[in-house]
Amino acid sequence: MTNQPPVPEPAAAAELPTDSPEITSPETQLPGPRQPRTAQRTTLRSDLRASWPDGLVALLVTAAVFVLLYIRIRNKTSSTVSVMPFMADAGGFWMYFLSQAFGWSALLWAWGTVVLGLLLSGQRPSRLPLSGPRLERLHRTTSLNTIALITAHALLFGAELFRHSTDAWNSALATSFVETFVPGGYTSGTGQIAIPIGQAALYLAIPLGLLFYVRHRIGPKTWRVLHRFVIVVYVLSVWHTLLYGTNVWYDGWFRTSVWLLQLPIAALLLVRLLRPARRSEKLPLAPGAAASRTGWALRLGGRLAVVGVMVALVVVVASGSDGGRTVPPDDTSSTHNHD
């Protein structure tokens, strides 16, 4: 997250891998021709080994974002300087800006992972740039790298707090840990709301991202139910960004662009709901045809809610009224203060 006080995001929010063709079973197979079972189950170790090319790209993107942030702060063209004038010392707060760079790349990787997850979890398009198994693998590796980026973002934030503390080292370490990782530990301004939102996204993203590798133990049905909460993690991360990111603090094209990027997510989610891969998830033509009235109502409500979100996003992007601030805050004297 560029120029936003670094807080665990998950932005993060890494979309979980969908049912992979690398491990098939009667419970997890999608409709269609029977797929051959491979001899080896997909493991976390194998995906970690395969994640380094994607991880290298993520690091390069993070480095580029950091350079951009640094230059904008040094030239005083960043809105962060308006929000927090003391941050004009780019060299003194380089770790802070590096944390922000990791945050923005984490949000970008989370966006891509969610897009891949929605493409792969429904009825797959006939034409995709890569084969199904390769897209599945890419989906899993981007999920793992999103978690890594979020973790780096949070750790650097805590390290920055520790580095600038004037307390004894043990007291400074405890305080920075509480402010970084404990909900309610950060008590300054907007951070009282925004930071717990980011922490919630982080603490949900990690287990949901790793449950894929133990789904044979918890059962595919349980895993699929938990998997759907990943979209909640992503929403929390975007909410945190818009609420607390200093680069999107004020109304303008950059903040509007963040809203605009949510339109593809909403559209893909709607397509996923309207054209589910499993018959059990389809909306019957009449209540009770293939599901209970309650299930029918829930599925219909979900589809209508996503349509409402899409309409709201279009209105926000078209109007430019997206909740941004129009003037700098009155008090910018306190470190990481976002009143």
Side-chain angles (χ1 to χ4, degrees):
M1 307 187 328
T2 29
N3 275 5
Q4 80 177 34
V7 179
E9 293 175 325
E15 172 76 352
L16 296 178
T18 54
D19 291 352
S20 170
E22 298 180 60
I23 358 173
T24 57
S25 66
E27 295 83 6
T28 59
Q29 270 190 320
L30 298 177
R34 185 175 181 83
Q35 299 169 330
R37 183 187 298 271
T38 57
Q40 190 174 10
R41 185 184 301 275
T42 301
T43 64
L44 177 59
R45 180 179 297 180
S46 64
D47 278 349
L48 286 173
R49 286 197 299 263
S51 66
W52 72 264
D54 177 72
L56 179 59
V57 174
L59 288 177
L60 292 174
V61 169
T62 302
V65 172
F66 171 72
V67 171
L68 177 62
L69 290 177
Y70 193 92
I71 292 174
R72 284 175 57 82
I73 291 293
R74 190 180 60 185
N75 295 339
K76 298 183 179 181
T77 57
S78 171
S79 59
T80 296
V81 179
S82 298
V83 179
M84 300 177 292
F86 59 88
M87 287 276 175
D89 181 8
F93 290 94
W94 68 268
M95 190 179 293
Y96 180 81
F97 303 130
L98 182 59
S99 174
Q100 292 176 353
F102 270 104
W104 275 109
S105 57
L107 188 62
L108 177 61
W109 253 246
W111 184 90
T113 307
V114 171
V115 168
L116 284 171
L118 291 172
L119 281 173
L120 295 170
S121 62
Q123 293 185 11
R124 301 180 184 181
S126 57
R127 292 182 180 180
L128 289 173
L130 296 174
S131 65
R134 289 188 176 183
L135 282 176
E136 292 278 359
R137 172 61 68 86
L138 179 62
H139 179 44
R140 297 195 303 272
T141 57
T142 54
S143 175
L144 293 174
N145 280 316
T146 300
I147 294 174
L149 292 168
I150 296 169
T151 303
H153 172 58
L155 290 175
L156 283 167
F157 174 60
E160 173 72 356
L161 294 178
F162 176 78
R163 189 167 71 100
H164 284 277
S165 176
T166 57
D167 297 336
W169 74 267
N170 54 338
S171 177
L173 182 62
T175 300
S176 62
F177 176 83
V178 169
E179 291 189 345
T180 304
F181 295 106
V182 178
Y186 197 97
T187 58
S188 175
T190 309
Q192 296 178 72
I193 299 174
I195 288 183
I197 290 173
Q199 291 166 337
L202 170 66
Y203 295 142
L204 285 173
I206 294 175
L208 290 177
L210 299 179
L211 277 176
F212 171 81
Y213 302 100
V214 295
R215 66 179 185 167
H216 60 288
R217 296 184 180 274
I218 64 176
K221 185 175 181 180
T222 300
W223 177 78
R224 283 196 297 269
V225 171
L226 294 173
H227 175 83
R228 291 167 183 167
F229 284 95
V230 172
I231 196 68
V232 176
V233 176
Y234 180 73
V235 169
L236 288 172
S237 67
V238 175
W239 184 11
H240 163 76
T241 302
L242 291 171
L243 186 62
Y244 210 50
T246 51
N247 242 4
V248 290
W249 192 261
Y250 303 117
D251 291 325
W253 69 269
F254 193 26
R255 185 180 180 90
T256 301
S257 297
V258 175
W259 283 98
L260 185 62
L261 283 173
Q262 309 319 311
L263 274 171
I265 298 287
L268 286 172
L269 179 58
L270 182 61
V271 171
R272 167 69 176 83
L273 294 174
L274 293 176
R275 302 177 58 193
R278 295 178 180 81
R279 294 179 182 177
S280 61
E281 297 178 357
K282 292 183 179 180
L283 185 68
L285 296 178
S292 67
R293 289 180 181 272
T294 302
W296 183 86
L298 289 173
R299 288 181 172 84
L300 177 61
R303 288 155 173 78
L304 292 176
V306 175
V307 171
V309 169
M310 291 189 64
V311 171
L313 287 172
V314 170
V315 170
V316 164
V317 171
S319 67
S321 300
D322 51 16
R325 296 158 178 83
T326 56
V327 293
D330 293 332
D331 179 12
T332 58
S333 59
S334 175
T335 303
H336 306 296
N337 187 9
H338 282 54
D339 290 329

